[in-house]
Amino acid sequence: MVSVQTTIGEFHFDNCLMNAAGVYCMTREELAAIEQSEAGSFVTKTGTFKERKGNPEPRYADTALGSINSMGLPNHGYRYYLDYVTELQEQPGSKPHFLSLVGLSPDETHKILKDVQASDYRGLVELNLSCPNVPGKPQIAYDFETTEQILKEVFTYYKKPLGIKLPPYFDIVHFDQAAHIFNQFPLTFVNCINSIGNGLIIEDEHVLIKPKNGFGGIGGDYVKPTALANVHAFYQRLKPSIQIIGTGGVKSGRDAFEHILCGASMVQLGTVLHQEGPEVFGRITAELKAIMTAKGYKNVADFRGKLRYFNN
């Protein structure tokens, strides 16, 4: 029997597959559906300091090769999600969970994380650095100076397991610079990648979503090569104690296999989960196990990071 079990930090998961933040995670009911599926865990919607309605609709659209969205961080506020995962962890057989968070300013981010630090929550936290923080500034993780400053301040008081959600990087020097910063801190994981920002998809003569005159984050088939590159680049550069969660373009067992081959310890499903629902975890798990069986791998550690190159 092959196993798709995995670990992140000191947490054990029966399945290396889970949802991506933003999909099937807005409400307790959606999170409960992921909890009861074959997924190894769930991550909550990224919670902000106060509840947010998000951008005007339509703000999400499926496309032939994936999806486009400009959601605007709609969520019920971080306390809604913190209370739920704290309740859930006390139930027998509960899986470990990921609580996704970000403030709309560094001050809000610190207020949220200090509250989580003082709470009874014992799971993992994902700090979402792949969203805009200050008007006129890029996504947090594209501003290396701000990223380093935030992490430096966070780790003066936050002592629980913490990882970060990253946008895609596209330049080798940016992989080097980002990894240099991340390696300075006791991060448990990095999650690569969030959607590729500010794409534009047109149908007939019209944009597909309303916010930003149609500009939005691209997910699905479009992003898999970029996601794999980011997973592998950070697998090569980060210290072994910082694990990688792979996200982007996973709609089959083969896609999940490739993420793990590039170095991912867990793999998140986004667009395909939105399109197929929680039953998708059963299908992709079975496909991944079939590939592992055919190749003689007994567990994900047997091939994690073992990507082959042409000999020089």
Side-chain angles (χ1 to χ4, degrees):
M1 286 289 290
V2 299
S3 168
V4 290
Q5 295 180 5
T6 192
T7 58
I8 297 286
E10 297 180 359
F11 296 87
H12 176 85
F13 303 89
D14 288 336
N15 191 333
C16 62
L17 303 179
M18 60 181 290
N19 70 306
V23 186
Y24 251 90
C25 59
M26 182 74 168
T27 65
R28 287 177 174 230
E29 291 74 23
E30 288 179 335
L31 290 166
I34 303 298
E35 177 82 352
Q36 292 155 19
S37 75
E38 288 193 39
S41 181
F42 69 61
V43 59
T44 65
K45 189 78 174 74
T46 298
T48 51
F49 193 65
K50 295 179 180 178
E51 184 174 4
R52 287 174 56 86
K53 290 184 178 179
N55 290 336
E57 297 184 344
R59 57 193 186 187
Y60 175 96
D62 288 317
T63 70
L65 293 174
S67 63
I68 183 170
N69 82 88
S70 180
M71 302 299 290
L73 274 178
N75 72 95
H76 291 298
Y78 82 96
R79 286 289 335 182
Y80 176 93
Y81 304 105
L82 175 59
D83 289 346
Y84 182 58
V85 291
T86 304
E87 290 169 22
L88 211 54
Q89 73 186 5
E90 305 306 330
Q91 297 182 9
S94 174
K95 304 169 183 177
H97 303 115
F98 294 78
L99 177 65
S100 183
L101 307 166
V102 75
L104 299 183
S105 67
D107 184 54
E108 281 190 1
T109 295
H110 293 311
K111 285 179 179 176
I112 294 170
L113 285 173
K114 285 177 180 177
D115 197 18
V116 178
Q117 175 64 38
S119 75
D120 293 328
Y121 178 57
R122 300 187 298 273
L124 293 132
V125 163
E126 176 179 277
L127 179 59
N128 188 350
L129 298 184
S130 56
C131 57
N133 199 314
V134 179
K137 289 272 194 174
Q139 295 184 50
I140 304 169
Y142 286 155
D143 183 337
F144 291 136
E145 188 176 334
T146 298
T147 296
E148 185 170 5
Q149 186 61 34
I150 288 175
L151 291 177
K152 193 174 291 183
E153 292 169 359
V154 163
F155 283 110
T156 62
Y157 61 84
Y158 197 82
K159 305 304 178 187
K160 296 179 178 181
L162 179 77
I164 50 178
K165 177 72 174 280
L166 299 174
Y169 295 103
F170 301 98
D171 197 301
I172 295 298
V173 72
H174 292 153
F175 292 132
D176 294 339
Q177 291 171 338
H180 175 72
I181 293 169
F182 303 152
N183 280 331
Q184 297 175 43
F185 301 101
L187 291 165
T188 303
F189 67 91
V190 299
N191 185 345
C192 310
I193 57 171
N194 205 333
S195 56
I196 295 178
N198 294 314
L200 186 62
I201 298 178
I202 299 164
E203 194 170 275
D204 194 12
E205 297 174 3
H206 206 281
V207 299
L208 292 187
I209 57 174
K210 184 175 182 179
K212 294 165 44 176
N213 289 332
F215 283 69
I218 302 297
D221 291 2
Y222 306 103
V223 310
K224 192 179 84 165
T226 300
L228 294 178
N230 276 256
V231 167
H232 196 57
F234 283 114
Y235 182 77
Q236 292 172 310
R237 288 164 174 78
L238 294 179
K239 57 189 179 184
S241 59
I242 303 178
Q243 291 172 271
I244 298 168
I245 297 175
T247 307
V250 179
K251 66 177 186 182
S252 69
R254 175 67 200 187
D255 298 327
F257 178 81
E258 290 177 8
H259 268 271
I260 298 166
L261 194 66
C262 285
S265 293
M266 290 193 83
V267 178
Q268 294 186 344
L269 311 185
T271 298
V272 73
L273 174 58
H274 183 274
Q275 294 171 344
E276 295 187 29
E279 298 78 16
V280 73
F281 289 106
R283 174 178 68 79
I284 295 182
T285 298
E287 292 172 1
L288 175 58
K289 285 182 172 180
I291 293 170
M292 292 169 62
T293 299
K295 292 181 175 292
Y297 297 127
K298 290 187 167 51
N299 55 66
V300 296
D302 287 346
F303 63 98
R304 183 190 303 117
K306 305 263 176 88
L307 184 63
R308 300 172 187 171
Y309 315 120
F310 287 104
N311 292 325
N312 291 330

